[in-house]
Amino acid sequence: MTIAVSPQALPALVLNADYRPLSYYPLSLWSWQDAIKAVFLDRVNIIAEYEHSVSSPSFSMRLPSVVCLKTYVQPSRNPAFTRFNVFLRDRFECQYCGAHDDLTFDHVIPRAHGGETTWENVVAACSPCNLRKGSKLPKQAAMFPAQKPYQPTVQDLHNNGRLFPPNYLHESWLDYLYWDTELQP
């Protein structure tokens, strides 16, 4: 699952005050207009710039390609329980067959059997597997999730988000996106 980013839109990568992206999936990007507004409101430092510039009769400025917030934004400790975050935790694949299309979510212990809608009981599933399992228990359906459902941390979701980079990464962003990966000699 790839997020489409248009290089012609000249988006700015947004880093937290610790020089890490605010999020990896979707990648924390601002439009060039929002980036310039943040510069003028003194909320960010410009780290890198595009060759393109914008001008008025009395002013000219190169467009920022990477900006860093001046104030640290504390990431939430527990990610929200959302359909998107369940899919991201499960890497956008059906936990029963591995398919990537037509995803929905499945209650491992069905609600009809007292199962709750929680991190620990919901997995990503393709529609055919979800229909095949129905309201049966895993043992009855002979369908077991590839990964036991769990409540992910924000770091878990960031790590999974790195597996799905956008279709376009500007060269000025690369030093900030994968800074914790091993360098090549």
Side-chain angles (χ1 to χ4, degrees), residues 68-133:
C68 179
L69 299 177
K70 288 187 173 186
T71 305
Y72 184 75
V73 174
Q74 183 69 39
S76 72
R77 292 178 179 256
N78 299 314
F81 179 66
T82 64
R83 182 181 301 263
F84 179 83
N85 283 344
V86 169
F87 293 164
L88 184 56
R89 177 200 66 190
D90 294 346
R91 296 184 175 122
F92 296 96
E93 68 181 31
C94 174
Q95 292 301 290
Y96 299 113
C97 73
H100 295 277
D101 297 322
D102 200 15
L103 290 180
T104 181
F105 68 84
D106 177 62
H107 291 79
V108 177
I109 306 298
R111 290 186 294 177
H113 292 273
E116 297 179 354
T117 306
T118 62
W119 282 113
E120 294 78 13
N121 191 46
V122 172
V123 295
C126 66
S127 288
C129 284
N130 201 347
L131 286 170
R132 194 171 83 230
K133 182 172 172 286

